């Protein structure tokens, strides 16, 4: 990767360590408040959050990176003479983008920080970082990379499945009656990022694995997609389910890279156990 361009993002991009190392990507953590204590995103495991919820019926809440934290995060890279391209999680669900922009403006005398609103969440943000890092490796100028990524944002398919509404109900995002009815009917909502905000686009019915596989087919079959990356993330799926999803992606589609990771606290705190998504770029 170019020594003059540095890519950064936040922890909810859920980038696997292998790719953080490969592209020299640095991430800044959000704050997680859980059971009255403040943690950095990544300090608590999904299993711990799930077990605590089952025991105490409490969920974590997340808060954005503050402007001052962004400044402290960016400064060492600027001091090395690097131009920073920061790909932020969607401005429609967090103030991270706005805070990063303020920090970038305040640091103008120290160097250049470009901030991109991904209008996405989780690994849908990650794929933009990967593509941008590859452009930098090929010698593209920072301003041209930023323009190319901003053009790419609406092409990134950003959906995920929620198999239980229990976390949404306790988080105040749906009523007890809605959750009860959906669980009785085994309804699994598919959440889509529309103009940077989360909306329910469809509801599936059936056993979790069958829903996952149907969802993948409906997102990918007959679609003209960029075949470089498909990214699969999940919250506490069992090994058999993970293997079946990966087997399907390998068998039925022509992606060069299947990137897999466990999703972090942000998706866990809203979607709960069983949430999963497949992300890619449409041509």
């Amino acid at each position: 990767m170019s020594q003059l361009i540095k890519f950064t993002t936040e922890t909810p991009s859920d980038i696997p360590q292998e790719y953080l190392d490969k592209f020299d990507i640095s991430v800044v953590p959000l704050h997680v408040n859980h059971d009255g204590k403040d943690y950095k995103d990544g300090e608590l495991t999904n299993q711990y959050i799930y077990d605590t919820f089952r025991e105490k019926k409490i969920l974590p809440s997340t808060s954005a990176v503050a402007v001052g934290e962004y400044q402290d995060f960016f400064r060492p890279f600027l001091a090395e003479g690097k131009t920073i391209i920061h790909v932020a999680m969607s401005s429609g669900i967090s103030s991270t983008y706005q805070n990063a922009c303020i920090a970038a403006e305040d640091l103008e005398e120290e160097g250049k920080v470009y901030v991109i609103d991904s209008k996405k969440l989780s690994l849908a943000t990650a794929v933009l970082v990967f593509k941008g890092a590859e452009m930098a490796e090929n010698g593209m100028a920072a301003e041209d990379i930023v323009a190319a990524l901003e053009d790419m944002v609406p092409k990134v398919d950003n959906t995920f499945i929620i198999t239980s509404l229990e976390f949404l109900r306790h988080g105040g995002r749906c009523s007890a009656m809605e959750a009860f009815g959906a669980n009785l009917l085994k309804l699994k909502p598919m959440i889509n990022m529309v103009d940077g905000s989360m909306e329910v686009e469809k509801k599936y019915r059936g056993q979790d694995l069958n829903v996952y596989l149907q969802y993948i087919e409906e997102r990918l079959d007959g679609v003209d997609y960029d075949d470089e990356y498909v990214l699969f993330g999940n919250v506490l799926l069992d090994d058999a389910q993970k293997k079946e999803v990966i087997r399907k992606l390998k068998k039925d589609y022509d992606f060069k890279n299947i990137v897999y990771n466990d999703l972090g606290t942000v998706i866990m705190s809203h979607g709960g156990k069983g949430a999963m998504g497949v992300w890619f770029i449409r041509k």
Side-chain angles (χ1 to χ4, degrees), residues 155-173:
K155 299 176 184 178
V156 179
D157 196 90
N158 188 183
T159 61
F160 58 94
I161 294 286
I162 292 176
T163 59
S164 170
L165 299 189
E166 198 171 19
F167 273 40
L168 285 179
R169 180 172 72 83
H170 280 273
R173 295 178 181 269

Side-chain angles (χ1 to χ4, degrees), residues 25-42:
I25 303 160
S26 294
V27 294
V28 59
L30 271 69
H31 292 270
V32 177
N33 185 278
H34 190 252
D35 203 10
K37 297 180 181 179
D38 184 69
Y39 299 89
K40 296 292 187 182
D41 188 17

